[in-house]
Amino acid sequence: MRQEQAGAATARGPVQRAAGAAAEVEEVDTPAADGAPERVDLTYTPSGTTVRVPSGVNLFEAASWNGIAVDSTCGGHGTCRKCKVQVTEGDVPPVLPQDERTFSTAQLEAGWRLGCLATAWGSMTVDVPPLTTRPKASTVGVGRQVILRPSVQKRYVELDEPTLADQRPDLTRVLDAIEDLEPVPELHALRRVGPALRSADHKVTAVVADDRLIDVEAGDTTARSFGLAVDLGTTTVVATLMDLTTGTPAAVASMLNAQQPFGGDVISRISATMLDPQALPRLRARAHETLAELAAEVCAEAGVEPDEVYDVAIAGNATMVALLLGQDPEPLGVAPFILAADRWPLVPAVEVGLGAAVHPAARAFLHPALGAYVGGDIVAGIQASGMDRDSRVRLMIDIGTNCEIVLSDGSQLVATAAPAGPAFEGASIRCGMRAADGAVETVKLLADWPEPATGEEGLPDPVQLGVIGDVEPRGLCGSGLVDAVAELSRVGLLDPSGRLVDEETARTVAPALADRLASIGEPGERVFVLYRESPDAPAAESVYLSQRDVRELQFAKAAISTGWTLLLEEVGLEPREVQQVLLAGSFGSYLSPAAAVRIGLVPKLPTLRIVAAGNIAGEGAKMVLLSATERTGAEALLEGVRYVELSDRGDFNDRFVDQLSFPA
């Protein structure tokens, strides 16, 4: 734990950067009050929860230890500046340099601090902004049809009652009546068979999962059979309850992965387990809580009892699966990046946190992984999109902190992973936020609009924003970031090198937008203001795009474009030969194809060739629930896809630098 003993003269601020990250490390000394108490009481509002913690603990960790969600994407290392809290009563922590760079003078005076740097040397009341646990997410995606042949089969039988002449055991009587299957009985079925037979006049339904008899139910229940498909994402988890008798979804729900306080990306969470021995069990418990909550939600929505859910399928990246199962993820985060296993046996539901949320004998199928950074979610996406059975040249890009890329030339499949960083999640963006209410998701700039830029009465603003929830803008999500940069590039306010132009050039190329350029802080960082609450609101307190934000996006897009460029070279193709680009995941669903082309995130192609594939990982999970054959197909992909490691290529850095510029 990053914590000094009570009474120490100073406490080292927890601004250590997670392993593998690129930001600078900055240490600060936080003054400790003389004679500080051994323990302090912290009251968090609006929940009203009061916790007693050791003196010297920071406000972020004190909240996380006690189940109070504080926004963070760096895991409390002081780099993302998302853990904003307000001390409303008590001993307000001193202002640190990171606080000064994050908040205005008025906000600092009102008690706003970064929770991971604010040390509690005395009792206080801390207000925590509500964390969005239901970000905007894609719950469906591109999927191909499969023959409905689930692993779960039900057989209704009507049996003769036993007599002195026929004393066969109850279980034998049921098994003899199932003529087309030879299942091995499980203990749960043995416990249930007798009461079921006697309560239903020997008319029962046998439930078979794979080659196991898992239950014997009273009466005819053949019309009620369900499975749970889960897309276990680093940021968002999506669960779909599937009706296994019809092959249709019964309910779907999504929520923020409860592991979020440990960091917004896999490296932060791996680092957490390396720094704290207790982090792994906590991360596993958070994953289990997330799955259990979603399972309960979809069952309640569909009117399904937990014991009617007999099967589970989970598609997730290698780190998320390791944390879910309680495996040490450290080998995934350090070279040479080794998986504990590339495929897993069927796992009892209790091992993934679903013991009470589904049938007691249910087991979970976990999609196999191609590598440490091309996991089961990508294998599921390949299945759903049918890339392994298509003669076209197709490129699939799952854009996120770690960007997975798959290319098919019609005869072979190659895949790689590119370290895009957290820009697309809004983590490293000054006004960045998740795709929730108040997030700017689309930007349109009208460069030739009549002056003045703020608009006259009846004249719309030349900066047109699409905001999630139709509320006042609060920040910028990933799709809005790409849109903003693409639009600034289009109107000439951003040159190909990624630099915001000077005022004189701005007045020439886009006079209606020139006054949106400003400088904030010291020595003065250039920004483009997207939204002001009032005409005279200072730029620093508005929603803006900074020069640093543009650089973050440049690094992310350069990593991705380097990845697909090298894959194309591996199979001897040119970018123009790509017939379809699939943008996978929630981010890909809301990304403008035109904006992606303009900044060079995808090959320069007609936008009709660029398709939002949506949640194809979830679609792949649904497929293996509906067809036992698809489970074999998922494992066969391990032999059919060639993984290309970028980190050991000597030319990667040079190629990366070549991709930094935006297309002219």
Side-chain angles (χ1 to χ4, degrees):
M1 299 294 179
R2 296 183 299 278
Q3 169 185 336
E4 299 289 338
Q5 294 183 353
T10 61
R12 286 313 234 183
V15 290
Q16 177 181 356
R17 180 63 169 169
E24 295 182 357
V25 175
E26 178 177 359
E27 282 197 345
V28 294
D29 289 333
T30 306
D34 292 336
E38 194 170 312
R39 300 180 73 83
V40 297
D41 291 329
L42 304 178
T43 299
Y44 287 91
T45 58
S47 66
T49 303
T50 298
V51 300
R52 176 161 289 186
V53 297
S55 180
V57 171
N58 68 61
L59 302 182
F60 174 81
E61 286 190 336
S64 296
W65 293 347
N66 292 279
I68 300 167
V70 178
D71 197 6
S72 172
T73 53
C74 69
H77 293 286
T79 57
C80 72
R81 305 183 191 179
K82 303 298 181 188
C83 57
K84 300 174 182 178
V85 299
Q86 184 181 20
V87 179
T88 56
E89 294 180 18
D91 299 327
V92 181
V95 176
L96 302 179
Q98 290 91 339
D99 295 320
E100 292 178 331
R101 292 196 291 267
T102 305
F103 303 106
S104 66
T105 302
Q107 289 173 319
L108 292 172
E109 292 175 352
W112 284 94
R113 300 290 186 272
L114 291 175
C116 70
L117 302 180
T119 307
W121 295 110
S123 296
M124 63 185 75
T125 299
V126 184
D127 187 64
V128 178
L131 176 64
T132 300
T133 58
R134 307 281 175 170
K136 186 175 181 179
S138 176
T139 56
V140 296
V142 172
R144 57 182 176 82
Q145 293 184 337
V146 298
I147 297 173
L148 184 60
R149 194 173 295 156
S151 298
V152 177
Q153 302 285 324
K154 283 192 168 187
R155 295 292 184 269
Y156 172 67
V157 294
E158 297 183 359
L159 308 177
D160 294 332
E161 294 188 18
T163 65
L164 290 175
D166 180 7
Q167 294 183 335
R168 286 176 299 162
D170 291 335
L171 181 62
T172 302
R173 200 174 291 274
V174 172
L175 292 175
D176 287 347
I178 305 174
E179 299 178 351
D180 60 333
L181 300 172
E182 296 182 1
V184 178
E186 297 234 320
L187 180 58
H188 183 77
L190 293 174
R191 291 176 177 148
R192 296 261 292 172
V193 62
L197 286 170
R198 284 156 186 79
S199 67
D201 195 24
H202 287 72
K203 298 175 181 178
V204 295
T205 300
V207 184
V208 179
D210 296 306
D211 60 348
R212 304 171 301 131
L213 177 68
I214 64 172
D215 209 343
V216 179
E217 299 172 342
D220 184 356
T221 65
T222 54
R224 304 283 293 178
S225 181
F226 298 89
L228 185 69
V230 178
D231 171 19
L232 181 60
T234 307
T235 302
T236 307
V237 183
V238 180
T240 306
L241 187 67
M242 298 296 295
D243 187 330
L244 301 182
T245 63
T246 64
T248 58
V252 61
S254 66
M255 65 179 292
L256 194 70
N257 191 324
Q259 295 174 339
Q260 176 270 341
F262 291 85
D265 56 80
V266 294
I267 293 298
S268 296
R269 295 180 198 175
I270 292 172
S271 298
T273 67
M274 296 165 66
L275 295 169
D276 178 8
Q278 296 304 312
L280 179 56
R282 288 175 180 161
L283 280 159
R284 188 185 187 205
R286 293 290 182 93
H288 288 190
E289 291 167 11
T290 303
L291 264 60
E293 183 175 341
L294 285 172
E297 184 173 338
V298 293
C299 284
E301 181 181 337
V304 171
E305 294 298 323
D307 60 5
E308 294 179 304
V309 182
Y310 306 101
D311 203 5
V312 179
I314 299 173
N317 67 53
T319 301
M320 292 302 99
V321 171
L323 296 175
L324 180 71
L325 299 178
Q327 294 175 327
D328 179 13
E330 181 176 349
L332 300 172
V334 295
F337 314 113
I338 301 302
L339 290 163
D342 58 1
R343 65 195 80 195
W344 295 265
L346 291 172
V347 176
V350 67
E351 294 291 339
V352 295
L354 293 171
V358 297
H359 190 277
R363 295 192 299 187
F365 173 85
L366 299 166
H367 264 85
L370 293 167
Y373 291 97
V374 180
D377 51 345
I378 301 306
V379 173
I382 294 172
Q383 271 192 294
S385 62
M387 290 188 71
D388 58 329
R389 53 185 70 200
D390 195 330
S391 61
R392 291 177 295 170
V393 177
R394 302 172 76 195
L395 182 66
M396 181 175 75
I397 306 176
D398 191 340
I399 302 173
T401 303
N402 181 65
C403 175
E404 298 92 352
I405 307 168
V406 181
L407 174 68
S408 169
D409 69 353
S411 61
Q412 62 177 318
L413 284 163
V414 290
T416 192
F424 296 117
E425 303 289 349
S428 56
I429 306 305
R430 290 287 175 86
C431 294
M433 63 179 291
R434 293 188 179 89
D437 286 355
V440 175
E441 62 176 343
T442 63
V443 178
K444 179 67 175 176
L445 302 182
L446 306 176
D448 298 327
W449 210 245
E451 295 188 76
T454 53
E456 300 170 354
E457 185 176 351
L459 188 63
D461 196 298
V463 179
Q464 303 290 305
L465 305 178
V467 184
I468 298 174
D470 291 326
V471 297
E472 294 297 304
R474 295 193 299 115
L476 195 64
C477 68
S479 62
L481 169 66
V482 173
D483 252 20
V485 171
E487 284 292 280
L488 286 169
S489 176
R490 181 183 64 81
V491 301
L493 294 180
L494 196 68
D495 67 25
S497 73
R499 185 183 301 277
L500 289 166
V501 301
D502 57 47
E503 287 81 357
E504 183 177 349
T505 303
R507 286 193 293 271
T508 301
V509 300
L513 299 167
D515 73 339
R516 295 295 186 121
L517 291 169
S519 295
I520 62 172
E522 293 293 339
E525 183 181 16
R526 298 274 286 158
V527 301
F528 181 83
V529 178
L530 294 164
Y531 172 78
R532 284 187 171 96
E533 286 190 358
S534 61
D536 57 349
E541 297 179 19
S542 304
V543 178
Y544 59 82
L545 179 78
S546 73
Q547 183 67 72
R548 176 175 166 272
D549 297 338
V550 176
R551 297 299 183 212
E552 290 286 344
L553 181 61
Q554 279 183 280
F555 294 146
K557 83 95 182 174
I560 294 170
S561 56
T562 302
W564 55 254
T565 298
L566 292 176
L567 284 190
L568 286 168
E569 291 180 4
E570 282 283 328
V571 298
L573 293 173
E574 296 290 332
R576 58 183 171 77
E577 296 180 82
V578 176
Q579 294 170 277
Q580 185 183 63
V581 177
L582 296 174
L583 297 177
S586 293
F587 180 77
S589 296
Y590 302 106
L591 178 63
S592 162
V597 170
R598 178 168 291 281
I599 70 169
L601 187 64
V602 300
K604 189 173 182 179
L605 299 168
T607 55
L608 290 178
R609 293 193 201 176
I610 302 169
V611 178
N615 183 17
I616 52 176
E619 293 297 319
K622 295 176 192 177
M623 287 168 59
V624 298
L625 283 180
L626 300 180
S627 173
T629 305
E630 293 297 331
R631 298 189 178 190
T632 305
E635 295 185 348
L637 282 173
L638 297 190
E639 308 299 326
V641 182
R642 177 164 60 93
Y643 179 70
V644 178
E645 178 61 58
L646 298 183
S647 60
D648 66 347
R649 290 188 60 128
D651 62 344
F652 178 80
N653 286 340
D654 291 338
R655 305 297 293 274
F656 174 84
V657 171
D658 291 341
Q659 295 290 340
L660 282 172
S661 296
F662 296 120

